[in-house]
Amino acid sequence: MTKILLVDDEEMIREVLQAYFEKEGWDIISASNGIEALKREKENKLDLIVLDLMLPDISGEEVCRLIRKESEVPIIMLTAKSAEDDVINGIVIGADDYVTKPFSPREVVVRVQAILRRVKKTKMSNLFIFNDRELIIDPFKKEVVLRDQIITLTPIEYKLLFTIANYPGRVYSRADLLENVQEDGSYFEGYERSIDTHIKNLRKKIETNSRHPEYILTVFGMGYKFGGKPYAKDVAF
């Protein structure tokens, strides 16, 4: 179900928009100030945020900036400001759309629908699909689905899989892979062999037989490569 965070300090606006949104079948979480909005955003996996700029504690602009440091969730801003500079500033700091008050609730619904359609289309076109949809990697959700089941990976395991799946057939040395998974971009030669341990654990999770892998292949004396066969991305789900 589509989950939307609705942020506005005016209770009537929240109630009206929530009623319209729920008619669309969307799951609504509401917040009346910026601090509460940031808390709700961290607690939930959101599909979209409708954010008022004039909040009583911290501004909507600041809320947007803080969210954009960690997330690409679509944001529609609600505001009484209509000057061109204000609109441009909203887009520059990360908003996907801008609705000026007073507005029609139906207009907001239509704008939400348009963004959700665009995001869905983008997500579908960016899925990594292999072996007749046996393995699917979703870069937006950072999820891996194997035979219709979500596989729980550690952050390093996910980064390793995502890295080599980007270019099936390309050979990655241990140093290449280590550089890609290091959080701070640092590199320590002595840690190269730790990649083998992570690869071993990853194989246990995604391979039918980890001793005879189909996806993560060893290239002796060189490193690893991805053996999955890419699936057409334009196939309807």
Side-chain angles (χ1 to χ4, degrees):
M1 179 181 290
T2 298
K3 185 174 288 189
I4 296 175
L5 174 60
L6 175 57
V7 187
D8 199 299
D9 62 327
E10 295 185 49
E11 184 176 0
M12 182 176 294
I13 289 179
R14 293 200 310 272
E15 289 178 351
V16 170
L17 285 179
Q18 181 164 343
Y20 273 80
F21 288 176
E22 288 178 344
K23 285 182 181 179
E24 299 296 320
W26 301 331
D27 183 17
I28 307 304
I29 301 166
S30 64
S32 59
N33 58 63
I35 299 297
E36 186 181 2
L38 292 170
K39 184 172 183 290
R40 297 286 178 265
E41 190 273 333
K42 287 185 177 295
E43 293 174 342
N44 295 276
K45 224 171 193 179
L46 301 171
D47 295 289
L48 185 139
I49 298 173
V50 177
L51 174 64
D52 182 30
L53 292 190
M54 306 296 288
L55 298 174
D57 49 358
I58 58 178
S59 70
E61 286 98 339
E62 183 61 19
V63 172
C64 183
R65 287 191 192 96
L66 292 171
I67 290 174
R68 275 291 169 263
K69 290 181 179 179
E70 301 178 348
S71 173
E72 292 299 319
V73 61
I75 297 174
I76 297 179
M77 287 185 168
L78 304 178
T79 182
K81 300 177 181 179
S82 59
E84 182 180 354
D85 287 347
D86 293 320
V87 175
I88 291 174
N89 182 57
I91 301 300
V92 167
I93 64 176
D96 295 87
D97 203 352
Y98 207 100
V99 181
T100 304
K101 296 179 180 180
F103 54 76
S104 160
R106 291 180 62 188
E107 177 191 359
V108 181
V109 168
V110 169
R111 288 175 181 261
V112 171
Q113 289 172 332
I115 289 179
L116 291 175
R117 281 195 303 269
R118 186 171 72 239
V119 169
K120 182 178 180 181
K121 184 177 180 181
T122 302
K123 285 182 178 181
M124 291 299 295
S125 66
N126 284 282
L127 291 176
F128 291 77
I129 307 170
F130 302 97
N131 291 22
D132 292 329
R133 290 175 56 189
E134 180 183 76
L135 178 69
I136 300 174
I137 304 172
D138 186 337
F140 281 83
K141 296 181 180 179
K142 291 184 168 52
E143 286 182 350
V144 175
V145 179
L146 179 67
R147 290 184 285 275
D148 299 322
Q149 297 292 322
I150 295 178
I151 305 301
T152 302
L153 301 180
T154 67
I156 288 180
E157 289 167 357
Y158 173 81
K159 286 181 180 180
L160 284 173
L161 180 60
F162 180 76
T163 297
I164 64 174
N166 257 294
Y167 297 97
R170 172 182 169 180
V171 178
Y172 288 86
S173 68
R174 293 178 179 85
D176 291 334
L177 294 174
L178 184 61
E179 186 176 352
N180 275 279
V181 302
Q182 286 291 100
E183 290 286 347
D184 58 0
S186 58
Y187 171 79
F188 299 98
E189 186 175 352
Y191 292 169
E192 282 188 21
R193 286 293 170 181
S194 67
I195 292 295
D196 295 340
T197 300
H198 293 300
I199 291 290
K200 181 180 178 180
N201 294 333
L202 181 56
R203 280 174 170 163
K204 288 179 180 179
K205 295 180 179 181
I206 70 170
E207 302 285 4
T208 303
N209 184 344
S210 60
R211 293 189 176 184
H212 300 283
E214 298 177 62
Y215 291 109
I216 303 175
L217 309 180
T218 299
V219 182
F220 293 100
M222 299 180 69
Y224 299 96
K225 69 177 181 179
F226 190 75
K229 298 178 180 178
Y231 190 64
K233 292 187 177 182
D234 58 352
V235 174
F237 280 75

